[in-house]
Amino acid sequence: MQEIELKFLVPESRLKGLLRQAQVKSSEVTQLAAHYYDTPDQQLAQAGIGLRIRKEGDVWVQTIKAGGDGIAARLEHNAPLDNEQVQAMLDSNTLMPDLSIYKNTSVAPALAEFKLKKLAKNLTRLYVTDVERTTRLLVDESDDEANNHIEMAYDYGEIIHGNDDSQRDAIQEIEFELISGDIDFLFATAKTWCKRYKLCLSTVTKAERGSLLITGQHHSPAVSADLDQLTINKDSSMPAFIRAVVHNCLLQILPNSSAIVAGSEDDDHILQLYIGIVRLQAALQAFASYSDEINPDWLPIIKQTAALINDYQKLAYLAFHIEPNLQQHGAPIVDWAADIDTLKIAPKDAVGANDFQLTLLELIAFTMSDPSLEPQADKPVIDKLAKTLSKQYAKFGKVAQILQSKKATDSDSITIENNDLKNDELQSVDSEITDLESSDSESDDIEKIDTDDKDAEQAMSKLHQQLTTLLYISEFAAPLLEKKKSKKKTKRWLKRLVKAQTALNHYRNHIMYQQRYQLKSETDSNALYGAGWFTAMLTRDHKRSEKRLAKVIDSSIFW
């Protein structure tokens, strides 16, 4: 069967209030003693599979969890065991799972890559959990037929290393599992509790935490974008396509946000979370008209969170990576600790903010809702994608032309030589945009370019924004629009977009670092070295960005 549940970390400041709601007269308290199994090199964990034998009250149950979408749904198979046999194996220290029971079950495909007899011989108990679980059944009082049931489970305990019981990790989390009824009730309930107790979503399973414990890690590695997990095809409707795209973004966002709210300050988690949010932002802006269920309130919260994370990430990178590197080249020491302390919000606070967590919940609910119920369910997305890409390509082109027009007045502007953005293509695109804007209600929420604005840095920032959006929506659309004979063209287009976006990103970052060192030099003369260093870097960055952008414009569009 498929298990649908949402898991949250509980902040210490809200624990007492939460327990008052969890520990009511109708709630039940159960001691859970679980033994988790895997091969010594954790082959099951690498395949996303968790295998345990757990005592649930007076009953021993063997459970395997696998598959699912990595967000709220997973395959689960439970098999009650003979208590006397289990006790006998415990007494002789021979308790092991029986893998033969999974033949011809829903989880069999997840184990298809393993030879079960060989796997069974290599299994070992890696860790155990000792948990006190408080459960409460939540019923939808507005449902006349009383079909909507959720089990709320608060877990408190610890994970213990299988070979060294001195190594332990605390457990303090709450789960909401849909027992029966409408999935909307699950999300509505979770949102109520999340809002009241400032809960933070976590995709980290107990099996994952156990694996981290035995390898001496606090958090799993950062998760980057994986377009291979974008489940779309040429028959996808517009509502189905945008759900698949948002889901793909969440597969990058949620593991990294889970690590951050759990205490990670790792640069990779922060960077990959930021990238995931920017990908999501690009999708919601460009594909806003593809679904009537997109909430316009999502985008401002997503953009604000991205900005807060970016501010911290850039300064932290400057302090902990760039500064030590400059010192290795003979630069005097510059202390950035006070600057970091003055930042209003750290990544953990930004990610744990209630409005962002509630938005994540709504986005998960959106991806799990039925696209066939929408008015546009009969409209193939392939009929709309080319116009959407053309619209974004034209926006990028207009900003590039604005920067080109400033060449005579600003030597730091990016210039594109001898191209005019392929005038024929751009004129065609502009006519398509006119048609789109007269018939669609799309809103991209991107600031309009002021053609009288003389601030090249601002214009360049907008160019980077438009280019980044073009890159991400091109990646989402490519599997549907590329043709067999033009796969090389698509690959070349995406490759050039990536290189241009990377070059422009370096240029923008180095301008920001130069400005920070320059400002710092007003109170600390040691910072003059860094200011000079990045001033010298900018000439090279400028030329590289021009070259990369020109190659994008010289490429024929693939759609």
Side-chain angles (χ1 to χ4, degrees):
M1 70 176 195
Q2 183 170 249
E3 169 192 61
I4 301 177
E5 70 175 19
L6 297 164
K7 179 185 294 187
F8 300 85
L9 300 183
V10 183
E12 197 68 39
S13 61
R14 299 282 175 157
L15 183 57
K16 288 184 179 179
L18 182 143
L19 288 178
R20 282 196 293 269
Q21 289 297 316
Q23 297 173 339
V24 296
K25 289 183 178 180
S26 60
S27 63
E28 297 181 359
V29 178
T30 307
Q31 293 299 133
L32 302 176
H35 303 248
Y36 284 80
Y37 297 86
D38 204 336
T39 62
D41 55 353
Q42 300 191 60
Q43 293 179 24
L44 291 178
Q46 292 170 20
I49 298 172
L51 178 61
R52 73 176 183 229
I53 296 176
R54 184 170 75 179
K55 188 175 184 181
E56 303 177 1
D58 297 327
V59 180
W60 284 93
V61 180
Q62 180 175 312
T63 298
I64 189 169
K65 295 187 180 185
D69 64 6
I71 297 178
R74 297 194 77 198
L75 292 176
E76 178 178 348
H77 184 280
N78 295 300
L81 303 178
D82 183 286
N83 283 9
E84 292 185 2
Q85 291 182 359
V86 171
Q87 189 58 53
M89 287 188 285
L90 283 172
D91 293 341
S92 60
N93 198 28
T94 58
L95 180 62
M96 294 295 290
D98 178 7
L99 300 184
S100 66
I101 65 176
Y102 299 123
K103 293 181 179 179
N104 303 318
T105 67
S106 60
V107 297
L111 293 168
E113 65 178 276
F114 299 99
K115 294 181 179 179
L116 294 187
K117 290 184 178 180
K118 181 179 180 181
L119 177 62
K121 291 180 180 179
N122 291 329
L123 288 178
T124 184
R125 188 188 73 172
L126 295 183
Y127 49 91
V128 299
T129 59
D130 184 11
V131 172
E132 180 182 88
R133 167 166 289 184
T134 302
T135 57
R136 176 186 170 189
L137 189 65
L138 304 176
V139 181
D140 185 1
E141 296 180 356
S142 66
D143 178 21
D144 295 335
E145 298 181 2
N147 289 327
N148 295 331
H149 295 159
I150 293 171
E151 181 183 77
M152 180 282 302
Y154 169 71
D155 289 347
Y156 178 80
E158 55 188 356
I159 301 172
I160 308 166
H161 196 294
N163 298 318
D164 182 1
D165 61 9
S166 68
Q167 296 187 46
R168 299 171 179 239
D169 190 20
I171 296 173
Q172 185 172 293
E173 58 193 28
I174 188 169
E175 300 174 359
F176 299 91
E177 181 178 355
L178 182 65
I179 304 301
S180 62
D182 193 341
I183 194 172
D184 289 343
F185 179 55
L186 171 66
F187 283 98
T189 302
K191 284 178 64 178
T192 298
W193 284 66
C194 182
K195 188 180 300 183
R196 184 179 300 165
Y197 302 111
K198 312 302 179 189
L199 305 178
C200 293
L201 275 162
S202 176
T203 59
V204 184
T205 65
K206 292 183 179 66
E208 185 178 344
R209 291 183 62 182
S211 297
L212 292 170
L213 178 66
I214 64 175
T215 56
Q217 298 173 282
H218 295 293
H219 308 283
S220 295
V223 175
S224 57
D226 185 358
L227 289 164
D228 289 338
Q229 296 189 60
L230 180 60
T231 54
I232 55 175
N233 57 60
K234 295 185 183 298
D235 296 324
S236 294
S237 67
M238 290 166 57
F241 173 82
I242 183 57
R243 281 168 171 78
V245 167
V246 171
H247 179 268
N248 188 261
C249 294
L250 289 175
L251 290 179
Q252 180 180 15
I253 291 170
L254 289 169
N256 294 303
S257 67
S258 296
I260 290 170
V261 296
S264 173
E265 297 179 347
D266 185 83
D267 291 339
D268 287 341
H269 285 131
I270 297 171
L271 176 60
Q272 291 303 325
L273 173 62
Y274 174 73
I275 293 173
I277 293 176
V278 173
R279 292 175 69 232
L280 177 62
Q281 178 181 324
L284 292 177
Q285 289 176 160
F287 306 130
S289 68
Y290 287 25
S291 169
D292 295 344
E293 300 298 320
I294 292 177
N295 186 342
D297 293 337
W298 293 341
L299 200 54
I301 294 171
I302 290 167
K303 292 173 72 173
Q304 179 187 37
T305 305
L308 291 171
I309 293 171
N310 192 43
D311 287 346
Y312 180 92
Q313 192 267 336
K314 298 301 183 190
L315 185 53
Y317 190 82
L318 176 63
F320 303 123
H321 294 275
I322 290 176
E323 178 62 26
N325 184 57
L326 290 181
Q327 290 176 28
Q328 289 181 358
H329 288 82
I333 296 174
V334 178
D335 186 3
W336 294 97
D339 299 76
I340 293 177
D341 290 340
T342 60
L343 288 176
K344 294 180 179 179
I345 299 180
K348 183 177 181 179
D349 301 321
V351 177
N354 209 221
D355 58 354
F356 182 65
Q357 290 294 317
L358 290 170
T359 299
L360 289 180
L361 269 176
E362 291 183 9
L363 287 163
I364 296 171
F366 171 68
T367 65
M368 298 184 73
S369 62
D370 189 350
S372 67
L373 300 179
E374 289 210 37
Q376 301 185 89
D378 61 340
K379 296 183 178 180
V381 71
I382 200 166
D383 293 344
K384 185 71 176 290
L385 279 176
K387 288 185 177 181
T388 302
L389 288 173
S390 294
K391 182 178 180 180
Q392 184 58 40
Y393 179 66
K395 289 179 180 179
F396 161 69
K398 286 180 178 179
V399 182
Q401 286 183 333
I402 290 169
L403 278 167
Q404 186 179 24
S405 70
K406 294 181 179 183
K407 179 180 179 182
T409 58
D410 191 337
S411 59
D412 285 337
S413 64
I414 297 289
T415 58
I416 311 298
E417 298 178 358
N418 302 321
N419 55 68
D420 288 331
L421 279 165
K422 298 195 173 186
N423 285 325
D424 293 340
E425 288 182 352
L426 188 54
Q427 289 172 8
S428 174
V429 167
D430 278 334
S431 65
E432 288 182 352
I433 290 178
T434 302
D435 294 338
L436 279 169
E437 291 178 341
S438 63
S439 61
D440 288 355
S441 59
E442 287 189 1
S443 173
D444 54 39
D445 253 352
I446 298 177
E447 293 179 278
K448 292 182 179 179
I449 303 294
D450 181 359
T451 54
D452 295 328
D453 180 15
K454 301 303 181 182
D455 187 351
E457 182 184 339
Q458 182 185 17
M460 186 179 62
S461 177
K462 291 174 182 176
L463 178 66
H464 179 262
Q465 182 186 49
Q466 301 290 1
L467 179 62
T468 299
T469 299
L470 181 60
L471 167 61
Y472 290 144
I473 68 172
S474 294
E475 288 179 336
F476 294 135
L480 300 186
L481 294 181
E482 68 178 4
K483 300 175 183 178
K484 289 183 179 180
K485 294 183 179 180
S486 62
K487 282 189 175 182
K488 288 184 178 179
K489 180 189 289 187
T490 303
K491 187 176 181 181
R492 181 170 60 248
W493 168 265
L494 292 175
K495 185 176 180 180
R496 289 183 173 182
L497 279 181
V498 169
K499 287 186 175 181
Q501 195 259 4
T502 300
L504 198 55
N505 193 49
H506 279 307
Y507 188 26
R508 291 179 62 240
N509 287 344
H510 289 174
I511 289 176
M512 184 270 290
Y513 295 146
Q514 192 278 337
Q515 291 174 342
R516 282 195 174 273
Y517 273 104
Q518 191 67 45
L519 182 62
K520 188 79 167 177
S521 69
E522 296 177 4
T523 56
D524 184 354
S525 61
N526 285 353
L528 287 171
Y529 187 103
W533 176 282
F534 282 108
T535 297
M537 294 279 284
L538 290 177
T539 301
R540 183 202 65 181
D541 294 337
H542 175 86
K543 292 180 179 179
R544 181 177 295 171
S545 297
E546 279 191 329
K547 181 179 179 181
R548 299 301 189 193
L549 285 167
K551 283 190 175 182
V552 169
I553 294 166
D554 285 341
S555 294
S556 297
I557 57 177
F558 70 90
W559 57 89

